[in-house]
Amino acid sequence: MAKIEKIELRMVDLVPKVKRTDAIQSFVSQETPIVTITDSDGASGTGYSYTIGTGGSSVMRLLADHLAPRLIGRDADQIEAIWHDLEFATHATTIGAITAIALAAIDTALWDLRARKQNLPLWKLAGGAKDRCPLYTTEGGWLHIETEALVDDALAAKAKGFTGSKVKIGKPHGSEDFSRLSAVRKAVGDGYEIMTDCNQGFSVDEAIRRAERLRELDLAWIEEPLPADDIDGHVRLSNSTATPIAVGESLYSIRHFREYMQKGGCSIVQVDVGRIGGITPWLKVAHAAEAFDMPVCPHFLMELHVSLTCAIQNGKYVEYIPQLDELTGGKMRIENGHALAPSEPGIGIDWDWDAVKARSIAEFTTAIVK
């Protein structure tokens, strides 16, 4: 039984390749905590998570001071036990983003270690439902982008075989959102999906009003229309529109997802490994969604989510937003608009360690050893 002997902590701050704006914010920085766990056999696994520009230092202190030291001497294959022990150790700060982001990096590293030692790619180890999954793109749909450019990007994605394009909504007046989306629909035709994302920007009444205005465009979904903790508001909205409502990127507990699914507050689950606390709780949410006949279309983290979406039966789409190109030796493989599940053992991310080390922030680089 191999025991954990070393944990290495790093954080890299990545600048998005394109300007990213939505209804409530501009995404200008991606703090990326990276955790590498090594066991007594000399095997290692690496996990990561992210912020959108704030809180990274708090995540790193939580990892270094409270979570990583608790791993030393543990059996690395007892992933379920470790996750629950770490969650309990931080019960005074859960449920919330800082703890979930820290837990996610550790849990993903443990799954990577397990998969590597079993010589299996993550998508097979976690279920093995399929070896590829359709892609939709978000990179050309940010709120500041002019209508002509939205149309051009959607047409280019369609030509590559992508399933759909996401367009951010939340302009000052609903007529502006309608005009932008109508232009995209006219250009791509009826056989191409248009997803929309409100980024929690509306009140319930405004969301109902805009959903009704957009109904004729046959949208794939309306994502995060309301503040994520307003479950009753989402239920009211879901009952008022035939357009699917998607939630998940701002939920941090499997129980939050349970409430949404039980009450009918959503019809699409967008569980995010980095926000839910890792692969362990991600799979639980995904399987619960299958019991409710709901598809899983995870938010962000395409390089990791491709494996998990392929692992489960109800994984429907992967969101195309490249984020790790500067830190990896190879990119996610795409064929005819589909993301291909990695064939290599582990989570399938080919880290360029020279690039990672060169871009690591020195004050957050820590090694915890037995």
Side-chain angles (χ1 to χ4, degrees):
M1 180 176 62
K3 300 294 185 68
I4 296 173
E5 290 192 338
K6 182 179 181 181
I7 303 100
E8 296 172 273
L9 308 176
R10 299 182 178 87
M11 186 169 75
V12 175
D13 196 0
L14 297 174
V15 177
K17 291 187 175 184
V18 302
K19 181 180 179 181
R20 295 173 177 170
T21 58
D22 58 43
I24 63 171
Q25 64 200 348
S26 180
F27 180 179
V28 297
S29 172
Q30 179 189 302
E31 298 169 312
T32 307
I34 300 173
V35 174
T36 299
I37 297 173
T38 303
D39 69 14
S40 54
D41 289 336
S44 65
T46 297
Y48 71 108
S49 53
Y50 73 100
T51 81
I52 59 171
T54 58
S57 58
S58 298
V59 172
M60 297 307 293
R61 290 315 323 166
L62 182 60
L63 283 166
D65 296 344
H66 301 286
L67 297 181
R70 294 176 182 269
L71 297 173
I72 297 296
R74 297 292 301 264
D75 177 357
D77 211 32
Q78 289 189 290
I79 297 176
E80 181 80 14
I82 290 173
W83 194 93
H84 282 282
D85 288 348
L86 294 183
E87 186 196 34
F88 181 78
T90 56
H91 68 275
T93 61
T94 55
I95 300 165
I98 299 298
T99 302
I101 291 167
L103 286 172
I106 288 175
D107 188 72
T108 302
L110 289 171
W111 275 91
D112 187 44
L113 176 57
R114 173 187 281 179
R116 288 174 181 274
K117 294 194 76 168
Q118 295 189 23
N119 199 35
L120 285 172
L122 174 63
W123 72 275
K124 287 187 176 180
L125 181 66
K130 46 192 174 289
D131 65 1
R132 64 194 62 208
C133 197
L135 282 166
Y136 75 89
T137 180
T138 296
E139 277 296 69
W142 302 100
L143 196 62
H144 69 277
I145 296 175
E146 297 296 330
T147 302
E148 183 178 355
L150 289 178
V151 169
D152 290 344
D153 185 80
L155 287 172
K158 182 180 179 181
K160 293 176 182 176
F162 279 50
T163 303
S165 293
K166 183 188 287 182
V167 178
K168 300 286 184 173
I169 62 176
K171 289 289 188 179
H173 196 274
S175 61
E176 297 175 81
D177 287 334
F178 181 80
S179 176
R180 285 156 57 85
L181 292 167
S182 295
V184 176
R185 172 57 74 205
K186 181 178 179 181
V188 299
D190 293 335
Y192 186 76
E193 297 285 12
I194 300 175
M195 296 78 172
T196 62
D197 189 353
C198 317
N199 292 99
Q200 307 182 72
F202 298 140
S203 66
V204 179
D205 289 338
E206 184 63 17
I208 292 173
R209 178 187 180 201
R210 295 205 186 198
E212 176 62 23
R213 180 73 184 275
L214 298 173
R215 181 171 56 88
E216 67 185 74
L217 299 178
D218 191 26
L219 302 176
W221 67 65
I222 298 174
E223 180 177 330
E224 283 205 313
L226 311 172
D229 55 0
D230 185 3
I231 298 177
D232 290 341
H234 281 85
V235 172
R236 183 181 162 198
L237 173 61
S238 294
N239 290 337
S240 74
T241 180
T243 303
I245 303 301
V247 301
E249 72 175 84
S250 300
L251 300 182
Y252 301 98
S253 165
I254 60 175
R255 294 168 187 84
H256 288 164
F257 281 97
R258 179 193 66 190
E259 292 295 305
Y260 265 97
M261 290 187 275
Q262 282 183 333
K263 293 183 175 182
C266 69
S267 47
I268 293 172
V269 170
Q270 295 187 302
V271 59
D272 181 326
V273 167
R275 303 287 179 84
I276 195 64
I279 293 170
T280 297
W282 192 99
L283 289 169
K284 294 175 182 179
V285 171
H287 294 317
E290 183 180 4
F292 283 92
D293 293 320
M294 292 185 186
V296 172
C297 308
H299 166 258
F300 206 37
L301 296 181
M302 69 176 195
E303 296 90 348
L304 178 54
H305 279 142
V306 59
S307 294
L308 293 176
T309 307
C310 287
I312 59 171
Q313 185 63 36
N314 55 327
K316 188 171 184 180
Y317 295 123
V318 172
E319 181 176 22
Y320 181 79
I321 305 181
Q323 64 170 144
L324 293 179
D325 289 357
E326 297 174 26
L327 301 180
T328 57
K331 299 180 180 180
M332 184 178 73
R333 294 189 291 273
I334 299 173
E335 185 177 287
N336 298 323
H338 285 67
L340 305 186
S343 58
E344 303 81 8
I347 63 173
I349 294 176
D350 177 24
W351 297 102
D352 179 344
W353 286 111
D354 289 336
V356 170
K357 292 173 183 177
R359 301 193 57 156
S360 296
I361 301 172
E363 65 181 295
F364 299 124
T365 300
T366 306
I368 298 170
V369 298
K370 182 177 179 181

